[in-house]
Amino acid sequence: MTTPESPQALLRSGSYVRLLVLAALLGVVVSAVAYGFLALVSYLQQETFTHLPHGLGFAAQPAWWPLPVLAIGGALAALAIRYLPGHGGPSPAGGFKLHGPPTPAQLPGVILAALATLSFGAVLGPEMPLILVGGGLAVLMVRLSRRDLPDRAIRVVAAAGSFAAISTLLGSPLLGAFLLMEASGLAGPMLGVVLVPGLLAAGIGSLIFIGLDNLTGLGTFSLALPGLPHFSRPDLAEFGWALVIGVAAALIGSAIRWLGRLVHRYAQRQVLLALPLAGLAVGALAVIYAESTGKPASNVLFSGQSGLGPLISHGSSYTAWALLLLLVCKGLAYGASLGSFRGGPVFPAMFVGAAGGMALSHLPGLPLVAGVAMGIGAMGVVMLTLPLTSVLLATLLLASDELSVMPLVIVAVVVAYVASARISPAAADSPPPEAAPAAAQADTAGAAGKAG
């Protein structure tokens, strides 16, 4: 087969149209599965933390309840990691990276380890498991259809599945696509050609999520921050706070990453022991926070995806002391979960950053919205090392105030990004992504040619 010599020639080819049709079809199925996975996680969380205590005769959830639940979740995740193929997927201790899609034999381990992590209260999000499941499921569907696709085409198909799986998780299919784009390092003249199938799958996936929400009433499972106070324009004092928040996020985020790598070294050697102990530690931190502040233990548990909006909306009811204790407990629980369980680092980073920004907003010269936005962006870039995505995460969620607060977020993100690199220069010793972006670009023409 003759490979088109330019992106324009590839876009005009019939094989590329067939690749887009395939991406759209995959987007329908993968996004429906992703919606079902998120609905199952939500159902299991409700059953474990709300209905089960009532079923056992407790009028309300006992204060000690997170301890056995997290220990059991750690044991279940450890069994999946230890005995199922694929070790439950890659550990998030190495940061947010894109890995090759799991094989069909590895998919059950990835799903079960993620369910044990997310449903039992560990402090990680669903994005990394969904990216893996979306890519693996897309590859499995293509192979079951007996389509004769080479490995280079499989990469594009897997990417489209990953795009579809997180299409609305971050509140917008565009933001999810941007996250995957920056994490993969795609660039050059073939960038648009490579991304279009994924963007199409993400757009279709977003429609499927909305449709299933209308049919089931279970929700869209998308991140949203409604009801924020208005922010007009930044001033000099707020730019000063951007420097402070950037440095503080670099220190706190680097400490969390260090803790995650430390726990991961032990978890690699003694997974059946380390994960239940890590679960107990997370549960104990939740109990300490709840008993000390009178606030719900769920502030410390879980990824923070569904808790971020209520935390900010009810920020006036939190004292500076409560927010500082939340920052400490959530940060320690985040680090312990990073090094042991299986999940994604995005939402806990956003929650920790927002809590820190809210705590600082009790000081003069820092409005709540500006503190939250800068905290989310700065902590996001430290934990993800994705500066452009971190700016978008912090600003697109603020709706009409995004343009006003964006200059502050940019300054905080840049300061945090550079400061964290200076604090932990050895962070690059984590394993590199399995898929080479340059190879994906070079192979796109061949992928489209074989798609039909």
Side-chain angles (χ1 to χ4, degrees):
M1 190 202 81
T2 301
T3 301
E5 297 181 355
S6 68
Q8 291 76 17
L10 178 57
L11 287 171
R12 290 193 297 266
S13 66
S15 56
Y16 190 74
V17 174
R18 290 191 290 273
L19 179 62
L20 293 178
V21 172
L22 178 61
L25 294 174
L26 292 173
V28 172
V29 178
V30 171
S31 59
V33 172
Y35 184 92
F37 176 83
L38 293 172
L40 177 60
V41 168
S42 178
Y43 170 79
L44 292 175
Q45 288 176 351
Q46 290 289 326
E47 290 295 318
T48 303
F49 286 91
T50 302
H51 298 156
L52 183 57
H54 292 166
L56 294 176
F58 296 103
Q61 182 192 112
W64 48 262
W65 188 257
L67 292 169
V69 170
L70 266 296
I72 293 172
L76 294 176
L79 290 172
I81 293 169
R82 175 66 178 83
Y83 293 109
L84 294 179
H87 308 291
S91 169
F96 185 86
K97 295 179 173 67
L98 298 188
H99 301 264
T103 65
Q106 293 170 344
L107 275 174
V110 171
I111 294 171
L112 291 176
L115 285 175
T117 295
L118 303 173
S119 304
F120 287 81
V123 187
L124 290 172
E127 64 279 1
M128 280 182 64
L130 281 180
I131 289 170
L132 291 170
V133 170
L137 183 60
V139 172
L140 176 61
M141 290 168 56
V142 170
R143 287 178 173 163
L144 288 177
S145 68
R146 302 185 182 275
R147 296 180 67 89
D148 185 18
L149 295 182
D151 289 342
R152 55 195 180 188
I154 292 297
R155 295 192 191 102
V156 177
V157 167
S162 296
F163 273 66
I166 64 166
S167 56
T168 65
L169 196 61
L170 299 174
S172 165
L174 182 60
L175 187 50
F178 202 92
L179 172 70
L180 294 178
M181 180 189 72
E182 189 176 17
S184 68
L186 288 172
M190 295 296 292
L191 172 61
V193 176
V194 174
L195 287 179
V196 166
L199 286 172
L200 178 61
I204 296 294
S206 181
L207 293 174
I208 296 299
F209 267 64
I210 294 171
L212 289 175
D213 175 32
N214 290 333
L215 287 174
T216 65
L218 296 176
T220 59
F221 306 106
S222 299
L223 181 63
L225 300 180
L228 294 178
H230 177 65
F231 179 80
S232 57
R233 64 181 64 182
D235 57 27
L236 186 60
E238 289 155 11
F239 276 103
W241 276 113
L243 301 178
V244 173
I245 290 174
V247 173
L251 294 171
I252 296 171
S254 296
I256 293 173
R257 293 177 62 183
W258 174 85
L259 176 60
R261 290 193 292 267
L262 177 66
V263 173
H264 183 59
R265 287 198 290 270
Y266 290 98
Q268 281 184 306
R269 295 195 294 265
Q270 296 288 339
V271 63
L272 296 178
L273 177 63
L275 264 72
L277 289 178
L280 282 173
V282 172
L285 288 165
V287 171
I288 291 171
Y289 167 78
E291 291 299 293
S292 301
T293 64
K295 299 296 183 181
S298 59
N299 282 352
V300 173
L301 302 176
F302 311 112
S303 69
Q305 177 187 358
S306 60
L308 184 57
L311 174 71
I312 299 172
S313 299
H314 300 94
S316 60
S317 67
Y318 286 79
T319 64
W321 153 250
L323 290 169
L324 288 174
L325 186 60
L326 175 59
L327 180 65
V328 171
C329 292
K330 187 79 169 185
L332 291 173
Y334 183 18
S337 300
L338 269 179
S340 52
F341 287 88
R342 294 295 187 264
V346 175
F347 293 112
M350 297 177 67
F351 193 97
V352 170
M358 291 174 64
L360 291 175
S361 71
H362 284 261
L363 297 174
L366 182 62
L368 175 66
V369 171
V372 167
M374 289 189 285
I376 289 175
M379 188 60 67
V381 77
V382 175
M383 301 306 298
L384 306 179
T385 65
L386 303 175
L388 298 179
T389 299
S390 299
V391 170
L392 290 178
L393 276 172
T395 54
L396 292 183
L397 293 174
L398 301 180
S400 60
D401 292 327
E402 63 185 56
L403 294 180
S404 300
V405 80
M406 183 176 288
L408 298 174
V409 174
I410 291 174
V411 173
V413 166
V414 170
V415 171
Y417 188 49
V418 175
S420 64
R422 301 280 294 181
I423 293 170
S424 52
D429 59 4
S430 57
E434 295 177 15
Q441 293 180 45
D443 292 339
T444 306
K450 293 298 184 73

